[in-house]
Amino acid sequence: MSFLKRFPPPAEGVRQQQPDTEAVLGGRGLGTGTLYIAESRLSWLDKSGLGFSLDYPTISLHAVSRDLNAYPWEHLYVMVNAKFEEEEPKETPMAEGEEEEDSDDDDIEPIAEFRFVPSDKSALEAMFSAMCDCQALHPDPEDEDSDNDYEGEEYDVEAHEQGQGDIPSFYTYEEGLSHLTAEGQATLERLEGMLAQSVSSQYNMAGVRTEDSVREFEDGMEVDTAPVVAGQFEDAEVDH
Amino acid sequence: MEISHSVKERTIAENSLVILLQGIHGHVTTVDLRDESTALGRITNVDAFMNIRLAEVTFTDRQGRVSQLDDLFVTGRNVRYVHIPDEVDIKATVEKQLQLIHKVRYFGGRDKGRKEFPTARHK
């Protein structure tokens, strides 16, 4: 079986480890080994250290089968959405390994059926549950319903209605000025000056403070409460 | 009928029809899979990603072979249809599930218990 490889058993996140478990692919037994149901992937290794891993996103479904008419031993059934070679290609090898033994609906979707038969039948439920848990850790990234992009925070309707959250403090103009530190006032003047300057560079109007006039107030004690650009529209023809 | 402990999953469920599937836990129905196989069984769990867990399943694979499975877990990606049983009132089921989610979210009630922030109406 060319898909069997040698690799170390998973060390982290192993939810269930089941020794003495036979692995079967389709109709072919792969031997007895240990099944590792880990959070990252499902792995099986035989006694010589050869085995394979299955990624959860490729697993379509898994089930506990106790129907001895369907299969003579109770087992964990795993259907995988991928192609695995079961036997050596017999006749003329096709390009890309297309045609193998299965029927024509393989070109729609490849399917491989694995069965894990533990010697301890009572472990099947635990194996099944462990797989359910691990599978849930790998939601489908290609979900068409792209609205599943939710942040962790629940939409708190009540808080929204009452306008809770950060309540900023507002100051009125006069109040705000009295709260300004010396540094704050200097900043205020500088900004006002910048504003005036940008305006005055376009319009040369009376009443507009230029950069020069701002410097007069740099001691920070007096602030002119009149709006800086009051003169901006003084020579406008339209009376508002 | 258990509401998920995950905020993210509750939010997803609340905003999609998965919430309907979560409301039919315990019902026996048929799930059609993407590969044309079908599973008839009792729904034991549906999560926000539409992963479905069924018990006592009659599974018909895409080639028509029938077998019984004790427990089946299908990934959401592979679900094509979930038949809603006739006896299920869809609207009532969705409303009931929404109520359950809100119960979890507003545990303690809107007007009862301590609040983190003082409410406007109590000023």
Side-chain angles (χ1 to χ4, degrees):
Chain A
M1 240 67 51
S2 51
F3 70 94
L4 290 179
K5 302 188 295 269
R6 203 170 291 275
F7 58 94
E12 282 178 1
V14 179
R15 297 289 190 101
Q16 179 89 2
Q17 192 171 318
Q18 200 59 36
D20 258 341
T21 299
E22 193 200 349
V24 182
L25 168 57
R28 190 150 180 143
L30 302 172
T32 302
T34 302
L35 181 67
Y36 300 88
I37 304 175
E39 290 169 3
S40 52
R41 58 182 62 84
L42 184 70
S43 301
W44 179 86
L45 285 167
D46 70 14
K47 299 199 167 121
S48 70
L50 281 174
F52 61 91
S53 288
L54 301 174
D55 289 325
Y56 291 105
T58 63
I59 297 177
S60 309
L61 58 88
H62 63 275
V64 171
S65 171
R66 295 189 211 269
D67 180 358
L68 302 180
N69 292 320
Y71 192 79
W73 295 279
E74 296 179 22
H75 63 278
L76 179 72
Y77 173 81
V78 179
M79 185 194 284
V80 179
N81 197 187
K83 198 67 193 162
F84 284 82
E85 296 163 31
E86 291 187 44
E87 307 159 64
E88 323 282 281
K90 285 170 189 164
E91 314 92 51
T92 49
M94 307 293 287
E96 293 301 295
E98 270 189 277
E99 237 174 51
E100 295 213 334
E101 38 160 304
D102 278 47
S103 52
D104 40 297
D105 42 15
D106 265 358
D107 30 61
I108 303 171
E109 198 164 280
I111 281 206
E113 297 177 307
F114 285 90
R115 290 168 213 269
F116 297 102
V117 193
S119 56
D120 177 9
K121 309 296 169 202
S122 64
L124 279 171
E125 279 307 319
M127 290 160 73
F128 177 80
S129 292
M131 277 203 65
C132 289
D133 294 344
C134 294
Q135 192 72 287
L137 298 171
H138 297 259
D140 183 15
E142 278 175 52
D143 201 340
E144 308 99 63
D145 185 4
S146 56
D147 261 0
N148 285 357
D149 228 3
Y150 296 96
E151 304 289 284
E153 287 179 61
E154 212 150 328
Y155 180 64
D156 192 349
V157 176
E158 190 191 5
H160 180 77
E161 284 168 4
Q162 293 168 359
Q164 293 298 332
D166 295 327
I167 303 170
S169 326
F170 294 101
Y171 288 111
T172 58
Y173 188 62
E174 275 99 328
E175 247 183 81
L177 284 176
S178 63
H179 279 97
L180 279 177
T181 60
E183 194 185 22
Q185 283 182 334
T187 308
L188 174 63
E189 278 141 26
R190 183 167 47 82
L191 291 173
E192 285 182 343
M194 280 165 60
L195 188 60
Q197 189 185 12
S198 65
V199 170
S200 65
S201 60
Q202 294 159 41
Y203 316 98
N204 222 338
M205 286 179 278
V208 175
R209 274 197 283 175
T210 61
E211 201 179 3
D212 296 326
S213 60
V214 167
R215 284 202 200 107
E216 287 173 53
F217 298 95
E218 256 180 350
D219 61 0
M221 295 308 289
E222 280 176 335
V223 180
D224 197 334
T225 54
V228 176
V229 293
Q232 190 176 357
F233 300 109
E234 262 174 32
D235 62 351
E237 282 169 7
V238 181
D239 213 331
H240 293 289
Chain B
M1 282 212 285
E2 198 190 280
I3 297 296
S4 169
H5 296 293
S6 148
V7 172
K8 178 182 171 186
E9 290 197 34
R10 282 202 296 270
T11 312
I12 292 173
E14 192 183 23
N15 288 282
S16 79
L17 281 177
V18 155
I19 199 173
L20 170 59
L21 299 183
Q22 291 176 334
I24 60 172
H25 287 182
H27 287 260
V28 175
T29 191
T30 302
V31 178
D32 290 1
L33 272 50
R34 216 160 50 113
D35 72 342
E36 326 250 312
S37 55
T38 66
L40 166 63
R42 187 165 45 83
I43 295 188
T44 51
N45 194 57
V46 180
D47 69 14
F49 310 108
M50 221 187 286
N51 295 324
I52 301 176
R53 186 166 163 170
L54 296 162
E56 293 140 42
V57 180
T58 300
F59 186 75
T60 306
D61 75 9
R62 59 186 186 174
Q63 270 129 25
R65 295 180 299 219
V66 182
S67 60
Q68 305 301 317
L69 298 168
D70 275 31
D71 250 310
L72 168 69
F73 179 99
V74 190
T75 51
R77 181 157 190 255
N78 290 284
V79 173
R80 180 176 286 159
Y81 302 131
V82 178
H83 295 249
I84 306 294
D86 290 336
E87 70 264 17
V88 170
D89 176 342
I90 292 178
K91 184 164 174 252
T93 303
V94 172
E95 283 172 349
K96 184 188 63 181
Q97 287 304 112
L98 283 173
Q99 271 173 35
L100 286 172
I101 287 181
H102 292 167
K103 244 193 227 173
V104 169
R105 183 176 294 160
Y106 299 117
F107 180 72
R110 288 185 190 226
D111 296 324
K112 301 171 205 162
R114 277 185 306 150
K115 297 281 176 205
E116 274 197 86
F117 303 106
T119 55
R121 26 184 139 126
H122 293 130
K123 268 194 192 151

